[in-house]
Amino acid sequence: MSEMDRPCLYLVDGSGYLFRAYHAIAYLSTSRGIPTNAVLGVTRMLHKLIKERKPKHVAVVWDPGGKNFRHEIYPEYKANRPPPPEDLKVQIPLVLEAVDAMALPSIKRDGFEADDVIATLARRAAEDGFKVVVVSSDKDLMQLVGQDVVMWDPMKDITYDEAAVEEKWGVEPEKLGDLLGLMGDSSDNIPGVYGVGKKTAARLLKQYGDLEGVLAAAPSMKKSKLRERLMEQSDMARLSRKLVELKKDVDLDSGPDDFVVREPDLDALDAFLTRMEFSALRRELVGKQVIDTSAYV
C-alpha cells in the first residue's frame, strides 16, 4: 500500500479543544442565561477540521475527570491546578452533546487521561496500517510522533514530524519523556530536577543518551550544583519520567475501524444549534436561513 492510499485516523484531544475554546472566546450565553462560549468554540473547531481536512476516520478523546493512576504514583500530581470555573463545568455536557449532534465518534476511559487513550489508539492504528494525526498542542503527546504519527496544532497550523519535535525540544520524540523527567512540568506539578531547564536537559541527553545514562554519569561529572542535584534528586527524576510516560496499552473496546465519520442527522443538529442560538453556525452546518422576527409587528 502506497503512502497516498493509507487510511488516516485523526485523534482529537477533545479536552484540549475544550479549554482552548473557553479561553479563546469571550463569555457568551443564550437568552436563557446558559453559557455557550466553549460549546461554540469546540463546535467551530470540529467543523473546521471536517470541512478542511475531510478525514474519513476521527475520534474525539476526552479526560474522564477525577483522579487516575498517576495520582496513586504521586498524590501531588496536578495538585496546583484550580478546579474548572463553574461557567465551564456547565458547558461540558453541552460540548459532548455537540459532538454527538455532529455524529463524530468520541471516547473516554475512567482512570486514564485522554493522552493515554490517544497513545493506545495511535499504536493500534499504526499497527493496522493507518497514518495517524494527533490534533493537539499538548507537548506530552509529541512523544508519539514517529514514522506513522504526526501532531497537528490547529490553532497555530503547525504539523510536528520527528524533525520538528527535535527542533523545538532539542531531542528526538522518543527522548522527550526523558527530557520532561529531567526538567519537570510546572503545569502538571511534575517536579523533575530542580534548576534543570530545557537546554540543560537536552544537552545532558545528547551527551549521555537517556535519563538513566545521565543519572549514571552524574557521580563522575565535575563538581557543580547540577552534579549534586542529579545525584540527590535521581529518584524524583525517575518518578517524573514515570508520570510523563504515556500508556499505550489501555484496555479499550474500540479501535480505528470504529471511528468512521458519518453524515450527521441534520434535524438533530439543527435542533441543537437552534437551542444554543448559534445562528451563523446553523446556516453554515445545516443550511437553513435564520430570520430575525423580533422586530415584527
Side-chain angles (χ1 to χ4, degrees):
M1 184 188 297
S2 71
E3 193 68 21
M4 294 292 291
D5 296 330
R6 289 178 74 187
C8 184
L9 171 64
Y10 280 73
L11 296 172
V12 180
D13 176 8
S15 300
Y17 259 28
L18 177 69
F19 283 99
R20 276 196 160 194
Y22 174 77
H23 291 292
I25 299 176
Y27 181 81
L28 190 69
S29 69
T30 67
S31 57
R32 302 180 307 283
I34 299 170
T36 57
N37 53 318
V39 186
L40 177 63
V42 171
T43 308
R44 271 183 184 165
M45 288 191 286
L46 289 173
H47 173 56
K48 182 173 167 46
L49 169 67
I50 300 302
K51 182 180 178 182
E52 295 182 359
R53 294 282 178 131
K54 297 180 172 55
K56 292 186 171 64
H57 297 80
V58 169
V60 187
V61 188
W62 305 97
D63 284 323
K67 295 188 175 182
N68 58 66
F69 72 95
R70 290 182 178 86
H71 292 91
E72 296 173 14
I73 300 170
Y74 184 58
E76 290 80 26
Y77 179 64
K78 292 190 175 181
N80 56 342
R81 289 198 182 183
E86 285 301 318
D87 64 323
L88 174 57
K89 282 166 69 173
V90 298
Q91 294 186 70
I92 293 173
L94 296 173
V95 169
L96 297 175
E97 195 177 337
V99 175
D100 286 342
M102 296 175 77
L104 294 174
S106 65
I107 183 172
K108 64 181 175 180
R109 183 76 165 84
D110 287 343
F112 297 93
E113 295 181 58
D115 290 2
D116 300 305
V117 176
I118 289 172
T120 300
L121 291 174
R123 176 188 61 78
R124 283 193 192 175
E127 289 172 354
D128 290 347
F130 280 74
K131 183 78 177 174
V132 179
V133 179
V134 176
V135 185
S136 179
S137 61
D138 186 346
K139 61 181 176 297
D140 292 340
L141 288 168
M142 289 185 184
Q143 297 177 74
L144 301 175
V145 171
Q147 183 179 348
D148 302 304
V149 182
V150 297
M151 192 176 103
W152 174 50
D153 180 346
M155 293 294 192
K156 297 177 181 175
D157 194 20
I158 298 174
T159 299
Y160 292 94
D161 58 10
E162 292 168 281
V165 172
E166 185 167 2
E167 183 180 348
K168 182 176 178 63
W169 292 102
V171 295
E172 308 94 314
E174 60 266 26
K175 300 281 181 66
L176 188 54
D178 292 321
L179 182 125
L180 293 172
L182 283 166
M183 62 181 279
D185 184 353
S186 59
S187 65
D188 288 342
N189 202 37
I190 294 174
V193 176
Y194 181 78
V196 174
K198 181 173 82 169
K199 288 184 178 178
T200 300
R203 176 176 59 78
L204 289 169
L205 291 169
K206 286 292 184 186
Q207 190 170 354
Y208 300 109
D210 58 16
L211 176 63
E212 286 303 325
V214 171
L215 297 178
S220 60
M221 293 178 188
K222 67 178 182 180
K223 289 190 175 181
S224 65
K225 286 286 187 187
L226 175 62
R227 173 181 178 271
E228 290 174 21
R229 287 167 179 164
L230 287 170
M231 292 170 64
E232 290 169 359
Q233 299 173 37
S234 58
D235 287 344
M236 195 57 77
R238 290 187 178 98
L239 172 66
S240 299
R241 176 70 181 87
K242 199 170 182 182
L243 290 171
V244 300
E245 184 174 0
L246 302 179
K247 285 190 71 67
K248 297 182 180 180
D249 58 354
V250 179
D251 185 17
L252 301 173
D253 296 328
S254 308
D257 291 327
D258 298 305
F259 303 130
V260 176
V261 176
R262 296 174 287 112
E263 286 293 324
D265 179 332
L266 290 183
D267 289 336
L269 182 57
D270 183 42
F272 174 78
L273 296 173
T274 300
R275 183 155 50 91
M276 293 296 99
E277 300 173 11
F278 296 158
S279 301
L281 258 183
R282 188 179 169 215
R283 283 195 298 273
E284 191 170 351
L285 271 68
V286 186
K288 293 194 176 182
Q289 185 65 35
V290 182
I291 301 172
D292 182 5
T293 60
S294 60
Y296 282 27
V297 176

